[in-house]
Amino acid sequence: MGVRKNQATLTAAEKNSFVQAVLQLKKQGTYDGFVATHNTFIMNDRDTSPRAGHRAPSFLPWHRQFLLEFERALQKVDASVSLPYWDWTADNSTSASLWADDFLGGDGQPGDGQVTTGPFAGSTGNWPIREGASDAPFLTRSLGTGVGALPTRTDLDAVLAIGVYDVAPWNSTSGDGFRNGLEGWARTGPELHNRVHVWIGGAMGTGYSPNDPVFWLHHCFIDRLWADWQSLHPAASYLPTSATTDVVSLNQPIRPWNTVTPADLLDHTRFYTYA
Amino acid sequence: MQDRPRRREVLKLGLAGAAVAGVVGTGILVAGNQFGEAAEEINEVYRGRRIRITAARNVYIDGLPLHVMQNADSSYSSIIDHYRTFASPHDTARAAVESLRGANLVLVSHRGHHQ
């Protein structure tokens, strides 16, 4: 069973193994399938119609399964690889080692926003963007421009303290529930999960956000926070527990896989652990 | 989120709104975003890109459709800026122009696949 580590603690060899496995999935064409799946859900997950991946209680189990599928694909390339997570409350600057040349590369350049450093730079020829919202053929970023600062540990602790998993109407307007607090559809602007997408900008701000490999490290931290929340509130259940219009309840299968339910995914230690 | 003013209020504010917007528009009524949004058509050049918004609130940038979603609180998000919300289709379109940084939209079907 894999151990998912904080990316700040990875050795140079571990970083390289992760990067090489990601590049191999890109070369195989497997990677772009994940990008397209994510966007299909983004476009169809609406507040007032059936929704599974976003603005819904199943935001957390949907992404847990999405990450598991991706991690299993990585492990077919290199069995030693597990997804790392990025604690953006700690490594919160544009000069963090996350953005170094030996890992994810840095900010986009002025003008077109093209990432020009690291293994995912357009000039490497290894990271063509084939599934995107625009015709930019390269990865784009715009660190810290869409919103000035990443969420803080104080922001995070306030959300982790919420005792109820989710509340009606189970969408982007749900107030006082952990899920929407973490997903971040706040009336005051993008918070938590959403704020991180906006802070990175470029591809990460679009429906095709997995085009930026940082997507997986961001969502791995979101996944870890769900587990942390469960530890803090052991009596709290996934909600809703019974059939509810438009959303996935505890024992209903989750699209597009239709093989797992939120109940199947509640205990992440069946699949991996966090270090 | 900002409330969208009723039509009568928009008509009253329309002239001032157009002046505040400070862009070249050929729409019948172009309200600046500080006053909310009219349902009238918008046709303007913003940062060198042609924004057109139809009465049905379909948004085009340089003639290509921008996928826009209305949220339950009446705000809007687009495929280009999916994790943010905007008070109007007009704000959504301008933000998309800024985020595109010169790139063009691509056609995406309602199923989310490239056409």
Side-chain angles (χ1 to χ4, degrees):
Chain A
M1 182 153 19
V3 179
R4 295 181 175 181
K5 301 174 184 172
N6 186 324
Q7 60 82 26
T9 70
L10 296 186
T11 64
E14 286 172 326
K15 288 180 184 178
N16 186 55
S17 296
F18 175 75
V19 166
Q20 294 307 319
V22 170
L23 290 174
Q24 185 61 30
L25 291 187
K26 183 72 168 178
K27 194 173 173 183
Q28 292 172 359
T30 314
Y31 195 95
D32 292 331
F34 285 93
V35 178
T37 294
H38 187 268
N39 186 62
T40 297
F41 275 81
I42 282 271
M43 288 182 66
N44 291 286
D45 290 332
R46 291 170 179 258
D47 280 325
T48 53
S49 61
R51 52 195 179 278
H54 306 87
R55 54 183 75 210
S58 53
F59 166 69
L60 290 165
W62 190 94
H63 282 86
R64 175 164 286 174
Q65 183 65 20
F66 191 54
L67 264 62
L68 269 171
E69 299 273 342
F70 183 70
E71 188 173 51
R72 287 166 182 158
L74 290 174
Q75 289 169 350
K76 282 185 189 170
V77 175
D78 181 344
S80 76
V81 171
S82 288
L83 291 179
Y85 64 88
W86 169 36
D87 178 351
W88 23 255
T89 68
D91 301 299
N92 57 2
S93 84
T94 58
S95 58
S97 60
L98 175 70
W99 309 112
D101 291 0
D102 69 342
F103 203 19
L104 300 190
D107 197 3
Q109 67 183 2
D112 63 11
Q114 179 174 182
V115 170
T116 59
T117 57
F120 307 104
S123 61
T124 63
N126 293 327
W127 204 253
I129 300 302
R130 303 186 190 97
E131 295 280 346
S134 81
D135 65 357
F138 40 73
L139 178 61
T140 55
R141 288 182 187 138
S142 191
L143 302 185
T145 60
V147 64
L150 288 162
T152 65
R153 189 70 222 183
T154 305
D155 297 333
L156 200 50
D157 286 342
V159 168
L160 288 169
I162 299 170
V164 175
Y165 179 76
D166 205 352
V167 295
W170 320 106
N171 63 18
S172 73
T173 64
S174 292
D176 301 326
F178 168 68
R179 186 275 308 170
N180 197 28
L182 186 59
E183 190 173 3
W185 295 106
R187 287 173 173 269
T188 49
E191 296 298 343
L192 282 293
H193 155 267
N194 280 358
R195 173 175 281 259
V196 176
H197 277 273
V198 175
W199 186 86
I200 295 166
M204 266 293 269
T206 75
Y208 296 92
S209 45
N211 269 322
D212 192 332
V214 77
F215 173 93
W216 307 105
L217 285 76
H218 171 37
H219 268 279
C220 191
F221 189 49
I222 295 294
D223 188 79
R224 191 206 154 115
L225 293 171
W226 183 22
D228 290 347
W229 179 83
Q230 288 173 312
S231 298
L232 288 167
H233 307 278
S237 168
Y238 177 92
L239 295 172
T241 54
S242 58
T244 302
T245 304
D246 292 340
V247 301
V248 182
S249 61
L250 181 63
N251 292 300
Q252 287 179 325
I254 306 174
R255 302 185 307 280
W257 308 285
N258 297 316
T259 53
V260 291
T261 65
D264 296 330
L265 293 165
L266 294 179
D267 178 10
H268 73 281
T269 64
R270 292 175 57 200
F271 311 107
Y272 51 85
T273 57
Y274 280 108
Chain B
M1 300 305 158
Q2 282 177 252
D3 288 331
R4 195 182 312 127
R6 295 178 193 286
R7 179 180 169 82
R8 190 179 54 201
E9 293 165 320
V10 170
L11 288 170
K12 194 167 63 183
L13 294 167
L15 188 60
V20 168
V23 294
V24 180
T26 57
I28 296 166
L29 182 65
V30 184
N33 57 26
Q34 77 181 93
F35 300 117
E37 197 62 43
E40 279 73 18
E41 293 198 17
I42 287 171
N43 192 341
E44 69 172 14
V45 175
Y46 178 70
R47 298 196 176 190
R49 309 294 296 267
R50 172 68 62 181
I51 291 174
R52 188 165 69 83
I53 305 177
T54 67
R57 296 179 183 272
N58 292 316
V59 178
Y60 299 84
I61 297 175
D62 291 339
L64 291 165
L66 174 68
H67 185 271
V68 175
M69 175 184 294
Q70 187 164 24
N71 303 310
D73 65 357
S74 296
S75 67
Y76 297 82
S77 299
S78 82
I79 194 169
I80 295 292
D81 298 287
H82 184 74
Y83 305 90
R84 300 169 63 187
T85 61
F86 303 94
S88 68
H90 195 184
D91 292 349
T92 311
R94 287 182 166 199
V97 164
E98 292 169 22
S99 295
L100 279 167
R101 299 178 70 163
N104 297 302
L105 292 172
V106 293
L107 291 171
V108 179
S109 76
H110 285 292
R111 296 290 303 154
H113 298 127
H114 282 186
Q115 290 179 331

